[in-house]
């Protein structure tokens, strides 16, 4: 089989439409990573755990001598990173040239170990993969799962990189694992034309060694004494990139190469147990709402699409709207009373160079038989404002306990429409949803999409209105205001385990001077750092960290807090937060 030494780029105009429906497909990288156990890498094409590759993505920028043959039962691809790619920079997108790969590179190392141990892995392809014979994008597919493969050969070679340069590139031959039927994209009538591997007794992974033909044809280099596979029909040569005789044939580098027909034959193989590819929803004991799998995506059995969980009350397929309702019991606040927190402080930790100083805790009489609590105040430098933490206590948390339960009931019933909304800017292909669920009430809040995702207070669920009342009361008592502050917007956010809100500032146009947030459920860490700006792009050191517990109210006082600082919230478990603001819509 002759293969030219030039990269292949996608030309979907010349490809036919896909003749059959893929079993597993997705529109975004997030849908793949949140749903498929075998691939959770948002940027790399190789996903591995403990140096064993679980999934491999075939994408754009195919290298020379990459092939897709035997109907896709044998795929040769360059792997391991450092390929030609497009990078975002301050001056726009630029092309990053390919670089030499080494056996010690993380992805190459994992691929080589997977090859040596004969482990099966899952292959995926996106609509930019030039060698796939069909146009995926014409049918609306961005990513498809091809199936389970194993690595039958691995070697290094030189490949051209520009007119006068070359790079070391590792190549891997992926062969279809028998026992999973024919490839889903293959026409059954074409199967007769496709060579089949000879059979050998099924004895698990060890049976892969039943054929020694490939080893018998290997070439042993007299210089480095290492063996290399006999890949190209022109001549045997050393494929060890650390050897001085690497990529030398008859005393010179080869110019034109073609794969040996014998090398491209499918090798006999048999696996006792192939990895299960189709995702399933694991059954959880009652109450395990915040277990990690509950924020995982969902595979639709009806149409095959992978969908991120974007609705609180159910999994729903974005394509065909098939649904799977989530059943979970209501979590109680006392479940989080004895949380063991991985922190070395009780309430706060301040960087000694931050310029922040604290007042002595101030007692607050909450009235109505709810006892006393304390207000912790942190004064920011240069008169930039203050941050207050009004502590919740078991005696004063009766209202917070009921609000926490109401939030859950009304979210599961659909009355409170908690959703994950698309981020406006990101570097992941396809839509990228927030890493938390939210709903906005009152004035529009641009951070969650403005008016499209906001309901007026007259239509807000009771739990939101009760949370607002409690925030107003605690802010009024804690700050000793002359009258309750007139908040007109509440953002409700819910976090499952391992979800969080990334660094940001509440720098909404028309934002009032006070932002107050009620914490419900699990404790969380809140970190502050100086605002990153073009003048100070590397100010990532934390200036202060706080622990927010159930019933606590955090208040940021002063416009300059949002100008000079940004913050993140990282819950330890299932948490709900209601954040109240005043937004002057005439200034937006």
């Amino acid at each position: 089989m002759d293969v030219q030494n030039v990269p292949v780029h996608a030309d979907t105009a010349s490809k036919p439409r896909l003749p059959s429906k893929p079993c597993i497909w997705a529109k975004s990288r997030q849908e793949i990573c949140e749903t498929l156990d075998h691939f959770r890498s948002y940027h790399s094409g190789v996903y591995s755990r403990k140096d064993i590759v679980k999934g491999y993505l075939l994408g754009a920028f195919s290298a020379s001598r990459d092939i897709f043959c035997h109907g896709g039962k044998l795929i040769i691809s360059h792997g391991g990173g450092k390929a030609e790619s497009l990078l975002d920079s301050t001056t726009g997108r630029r092309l990053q040239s390919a670089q030499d790969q080494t056996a010690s590179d993380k992805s190459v190392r994992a691929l080589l170990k997977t090859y040596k141990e004969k482990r099966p892995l899952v292959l995926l392809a996106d609509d930019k993969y030039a060698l796939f014979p069909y146009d995926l994008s014409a049918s609306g597919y961005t990513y498809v799962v091809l199936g389970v493969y194993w690595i039958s050969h691995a070697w290094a070679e030189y490949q051209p990189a520009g007119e006068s340069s070359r790079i070391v590139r590792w190549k891997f031959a992926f062969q279809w694992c028998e026992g999973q039927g024919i490839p889903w994209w293959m026409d059954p009538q074409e199967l007769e034309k496709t060579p089949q591997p000879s059979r050998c007794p099924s004895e698990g992974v060890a049976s892969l060694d039943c054929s020694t033909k490939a080893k018998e044809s290997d070439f042993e280099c007299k210089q480095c004494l290492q063996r290399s596979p006999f890949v190209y029909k022109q001549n045997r040569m050393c494929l060890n990139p650390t050897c001085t005789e690497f990529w030398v044939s008859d005393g010179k580098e080869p110019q034109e190469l073609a794969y040996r027909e014998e090398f491209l034959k499918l090798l006999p193989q048999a696996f006792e147990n192939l990895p299960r590819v189709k995702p399933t929803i694991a059954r959880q004991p009652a109450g395990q709402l915040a277990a990690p799998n509950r924020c995982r995506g969902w595979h639709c059995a009806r149409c095959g699409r992978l969908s991120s969980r974007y609705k609180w009350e159910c999994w729903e397929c974005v394509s065909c709207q098939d649904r799977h309702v989530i059943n979970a019991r209501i979590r109680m606040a006392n479940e989080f009373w004895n949380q063991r927190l991985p922190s070395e402080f009780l309430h706060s930790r301040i960087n000694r160079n931050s310029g922040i100083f604290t007042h002595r805790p101030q007692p607050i009489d909450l009235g109505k038989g709810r006892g006393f609590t304390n207000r912790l105040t942190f004064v920011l430098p240069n008169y930039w404002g203050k941050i207050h933490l009004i502590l919740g206590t078991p005696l004063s948390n009766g209202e917070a306990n009921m609000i926490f339960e109401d939030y859950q009931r009304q979210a599961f019933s659909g009355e409170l429409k908690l959703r994950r909304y698309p981020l406006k800017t990101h570097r992941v292909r396809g839509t990228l949803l927030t890493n938390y669920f939210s709903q906005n009430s009152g004035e529009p809040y641009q951070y969650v999409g403005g008016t499209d995702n906001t309901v007026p207070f007259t239509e807000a669920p009771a739990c939101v209105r009760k949370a607002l009342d409690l925030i107003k009361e605690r802010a009024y008592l804690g700050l000793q205001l002359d009258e309750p502050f007139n908040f007109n917007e509440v953002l409700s956010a819910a976090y499952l385990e391992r979800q969080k809100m990334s660094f940001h500032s509440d720098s909404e146009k028309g934002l009032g001077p006070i932002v107050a947030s009620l914490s419900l459920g699990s404790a969380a860490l809140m970190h502050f750092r100086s605002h990153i700006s073009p003048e100070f792009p590397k100010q990532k050191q934390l200036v202060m960290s706080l622990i927010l517990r159930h019933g606590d109210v955090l208040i940021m006082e002063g416009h300059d807090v949002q100008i000079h600082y940004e913050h993140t919230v990282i819950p330890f478990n299932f948490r709900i937060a209601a954040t109240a603001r005043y937004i002057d819509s005439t200034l937006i």
Side-chain angles (χ1 to χ4, degrees), residues 36-61:
L36 201 64
D37 289 332
H38 304 281
F39 198 86
R40 298 183 184 178
S41 174
Y42 279 85
H43 299 287
S44 173
V46 180
Y47 173 66
S48 63
R49 289 201 301 264
K50 297 181 179 180
D51 265 358
I52 294 296
V53 176
K54 301 297 181 181
Y56 184 99
L57 174 64
L58 299 161
F61 298 108

Short mmCIF file of all heavy atoms in Angstrom, two decimals, residues 36-61:
data_model
loop_
_atom_site.label_atom_id
_atom_site.label_comp_id
_atom_site.label_asym_id
_atom_site.label_seq_id
_atom_site.Cartn_x
_atom_site.Cartn_y
_atom_site.Cartn_z
N LEU A 36 -18.48 9.75 29.09
CA LEU A 36 -17.74 8.56 28.69
C LEU A 36 -16.62 8.28 29.69
O LEU A 36 -15.73 9.11 29.88
CB LEU A 36 -17.17 8.76 27.29
CG LEU A 36 -16.79 7.51 26.51
CD1 LEU A 36 -18.01 6.65 26.23
CD2 LEU A 36 -16.10 7.88 25.20
N ASP A 37 -16.64 7.12 30.31
CA ASP A 37 -15.61 6.77 31.29
C ASP A 37 -14.23 6.66 30.65
O ASP A 37 -13.21 6.85 31.32
CB ASP A 37 -15.94 5.44 31.97
CG ASP A 37 -17.12 5.56 32.92
OD1 ASP A 37 -17.33 6.65 33.46
OD2 ASP A 37 -17.83 4.55 33.12
N HIS A 38 -14.19 6.36 29.37
CA HIS A 38 -12.92 6.08 28.70
C HIS A 38 -12.26 7.31 28.10
O HIS A 38 -11.17 7.20 27.52
CB HIS A 38 -13.13 5.03 27.61
CG HIS A 38 -13.74 3.76 28.11
ND1 HIS A 38 -13.01 2.79 28.76
CD2 HIS A 38 -15.02 3.32 28.10
CE1 HIS A 38 -13.82 1.80 29.11
NE2 HIS A 38 -15.04 2.10 28.72
N PHE A 39 -12.90 8.47 28.22
CA PHE A 39 -12.27 9.67 27.67
C PHE A 39 -12.75 10.89 28.45
O PHE A 39 -13.91 11.29 28.34
CB PHE A 39 -12.58 9.84 26.18
CG PHE A 39 -11.64 10.79 25.50
CD1 PHE A 39 -10.43 10.34 24.99
CD2 PHE A 39 -11.94 12.13 25.37
CE1 PHE A 39 -9.54 11.20 24.38
CE2 PHE A 39 -11.06 13.01 24.77
CZ PHE A 39 -9.86 12.54 24.26
N ARG A 40 -11.84 11.50 29.21
CA ARG A 40 -12.20 12.66 30.02
C ARG A 40 -11.19 13.79 29.86
O ARG A 40 -10.99 14.59 30.77
CB ARG A 40 -12.30 12.26 31.50
CG ARG A 40 -13.39 11.23 31.76
CD ARG A 40 -13.53 10.91 33.23
NE ARG A 40 -14.50 9.86 33.46
CZ ARG A 40 -14.78 9.37 34.66
NH1 ARG A 40 -14.17 9.85 35.73
NH2 ARG A 40 -15.67 8.40 34.80
N SER A 41 -10.55 13.84 28.71
CA SER A 41 -9.55 14.87 28.46
C SER A 41 -10.16 15.98 27.61
O SER A 41 -10.62 15.73 26.50
CB SER A 41 -8.34 14.28 27.74
OG SER A 41 -7.44 15.29 27.38
N TYR A 42 -10.16 17.20 28.15
CA TYR A 42 -10.77 18.32 27.43
C TYR A 42 -9.86 18.89 26.35
O TYR A 42 -10.33 19.60 25.45
CB TYR A 42 -11.14 19.43 28.42
CG TYR A 42 -12.44 19.19 29.14
CD1 TYR A 42 -12.49 18.41 30.29
CD2 TYR A 42 -13.64 19.71 28.66
CE1 TYR A 42 -13.68 18.17 30.96
CE2 TYR A 42 -14.84 19.48 29.31
CZ TYR A 42 -14.85 18.72 30.46
OH TYR A 42 -16.04 18.47 31.10
N HIS A 43 -8.56 18.62 26.41
CA HIS A 43 -7.66 19.24 25.44
C HIS A 43 -6.76 18.22 24.73
O HIS A 43 -6.50 18.38 23.54
CB HIS A 43 -6.80 20.29 26.15
CG HIS A 43 -7.59 21.41 26.76
ND1 HIS A 43 -8.20 22.38 26.01
CD2 HIS A 43 -7.91 21.67 28.06
CE1 HIS A 43 -8.85 23.22 26.81
NE2 HIS A 43 -8.69 22.81 28.05
N SER A 44 -6.29 17.21 25.42
CA SER A 44 -5.40 16.23 24.79
C SER A 44 -6.20 15.20 24.01
O SER A 44 -7.37 14.94 24.30
CB SER A 44 -4.56 15.54 25.87
OG SER A 44 -3.82 14.48 25.32
N GLY A 45 -5.55 14.60 23.02
CA GLY A 45 -6.19 13.53 22.26
C GLY A 45 -5.98 12.16 22.88
O GLY A 45 -6.51 11.17 22.38
N VAL A 46 -5.20 12.10 23.96
CA VAL A 46 -4.94 10.84 24.65
C VAL A 46 -5.39 10.96 26.09
O VAL A 46 -4.98 11.88 26.80
CB VAL A 46 -3.43 10.48 24.60
CG1 VAL A 46 -3.18 9.16 25.32
CG2 VAL A 46 -2.94 10.40 23.16
N TYR A 47 -6.25 10.04 26.53
CA TYR A 47 -6.69 10.04 27.92
C TYR A 47 -6.17 8.77 28.58
O TYR A 47 -6.42 7.65 28.10
CB TYR A 47 -8.21 10.07 28.01
CG TYR A 47 -8.73 9.90 29.43
CD1 TYR A 47 -8.48 10.86 30.40
CD2 TYR A 47 -9.43 8.75 29.80
CE1 TYR A 47 -8.93 10.70 31.70
CE2 TYR A 47 -9.89 8.59 31.10
CZ TYR A 47 -9.63 9.56 32.04
OH TYR A 47 -10.07 9.40 33.33
N SER A 48 -5.42 8.93 29.66
CA SER A 48 -4.82 7.78 30.34
C SER A 48 -5.01 7.90 31.84
O SER A 48 -5.19 9.00 32.38
CB SER A 48 -3.33 7.68 30.02
OG SER A 48 -2.63 8.83 30.49
N ARG A 49 -4.97 6.75 32.50
CA ARG A 49 -4.98 6.68 33.96
C ARG A 49 -3.89 5.70 34.38
O ARG A 49 -3.83 4.58 33.89
CB ARG A 49 -6.34 6.21 34.49
CG ARG A 49 -7.45 7.22 34.35
CD ARG A 49 -8.60 6.93 35.33
NE ARG A 49 -9.18 5.63 35.16
CZ ARG A 49 -10.27 5.38 34.44
NH1 ARG A 49 -10.88 6.37 33.81
NH2 ARG A 49 -10.76 4.16 34.35
N LYS A 50 -3.01 6.17 35.27
CA LYS A 50 -1.89 5.36 35.75
C LYS A 50 -1.08 4.80 34.59
O LYS A 50 -0.70 3.63 34.56
CB LYS A 50 -2.40 4.22 36.65
CG LYS A 50 -3.09 4.71 37.91
CD LYS A 50 -3.55 3.56 38.78
CE LYS A 50 -4.22 4.08 40.05
NZ LYS A 50 -4.70 2.97 40.92
N ASP A 51 -0.83 5.66 33.62
CA ASP A 51 0.01 5.33 32.46
C ASP A 51 -0.58 4.24 31.57
O ASP A 51 0.14 3.60 30.80
CB ASP A 51 1.42 4.91 32.90
CG ASP A 51 2.40 6.08 32.87
OD1 ASP A 51 1.98 7.19 32.48
OD2 ASP A 51 3.57 5.90 33.23
N ILE A 52 -1.89 4.04 31.63
CA ILE A 52 -2.58 3.13 30.72
C ILE A 52 -3.62 3.94 29.96
O ILE A 52 -4.46 4.61 30.57
CB ILE A 52 -3.25 1.96 31.46
CG1 ILE A 52 -2.19 1.06 32.10
CG2 ILE A 52 -4.13 1.15 30.51
CD1 ILE A 52 -1.29 0.36 31.11
N VAL A 53 -3.56 3.90 28.64
CA VAL A 53 -4.48 4.68 27.82
C VAL A 53 -5.87 4.05 27.85
O VAL A 53 -6.02 2.85 27.62
CB VAL A 53 -3.97 4.79 26.37
CG1 VAL A 53 -4.98 5.52 25.50
CG2 VAL A 53 -2.63 5.50 26.34
N LYS A 54 -6.86 4.86 28.14
CA LYS A 54 -8.25 4.42 28.15
C LYS A 54 -8.98 4.84 26.87
O LYS A 54 -9.87 4.13 26.40
CB LYS A 54 -8.98 4.99 29.37
CG LYS A 54 -8.36 4.60 30.70
CD LYS A 54 -8.42 3.11 30.92
CE LYS A 54 -7.83 2.73 32.26
NZ LYS A 54 -7.86 1.26 32.48
N GLY A 55 -8.62 6.00 26.34
CA GLY A 55 -9.28 6.49 25.14
C GLY A 55 -8.33 7.30 24.29
O GLY A 55 -7.39 7.94 24.79
N TYR A 56 -8.56 7.28 22.97
CA TYR A 56 -7.70 7.95 22.01
C TYR A 56 -8.59 8.61 20.97
O TYR A 56 -9.46 7.97 20.38
CB TYR A 56 -6.77 6.93 21.36
CG TYR A 56 -5.73 7.48 20.40
CD1 TYR A 56 -4.43 7.69 20.81
CD2 TYR A 56 -6.06 7.77 19.08
CE1 TYR A 56 -3.46 8.17 19.94
CE2 TYR A 56 -5.11 8.25 18.20
CZ TYR A 56 -3.81 8.45 18.63
OH TYR A 56 -2.86 8.94 17.75
N LEU A 57 -8.38 9.91 20.75
CA LEU A 57 -9.22 10.68 19.84
C LEU A 57 -8.47 10.95 18.54
O LEU A 57 -7.38 11.53 18.54
CB LEU A 57 -9.63 12.01 20.48
CG LEU A 57 -10.40 12.99 19.59
CD1 LEU A 57 -11.74 12.40 19.17
CD2 LEU A 57 -10.60 14.32 20.31
N LEU A 58 -9.07 10.55 17.43
CA LEU A 58 -8.54 10.84 16.10
C LEU A 58 -9.14 12.16 15.64
O LEU A 58 -10.36 12.29 15.54
CB LEU A 58 -8.91 9.72 15.12
CG LEU A 58 -8.35 8.33 15.47
CD1 LEU A 58 -9.14 7.25 14.75
CD2 LEU A 58 -6.87 8.24 15.13
N GLY A 59 -8.28 13.14 15.36
CA GLY A 59 -8.78 14.45 14.99
C GLY A 59 -8.04 15.03 13.81
O GLY A 59 -7.50 14.31 12.96
N ALA A 60 -8.01 16.35 13.75
CA ALA A 60 -7.41 17.05 12.62
C ALA A 60 -5.89 16.91 12.63
O ALA A 60 -5.30 16.32 13.54
CB ALA A 60 -7.81 18.52 12.67
N PHE A 61 -5.27 17.47 11.60
CA PHE A 61 -3.82 17.46 11.43
C PHE A 61 -3.26 16.04 11.36
O PHE A 61 -2.38 15.66 12.12
CB PHE A 61 -3.12 18.25 12.54
CG PHE A 61 -3.49 19.70 12.56
CD1 PHE A 61 -4.31 20.21 13.57
CD2 PHE A 61 -3.05 20.55 11.58
CE1 PHE A 61 -4.66 21.54 13.59
CE2 PHE A 61 -3.40 21.89 11.59
CZ PHE A 61 -4.21 22.39 12.59
#
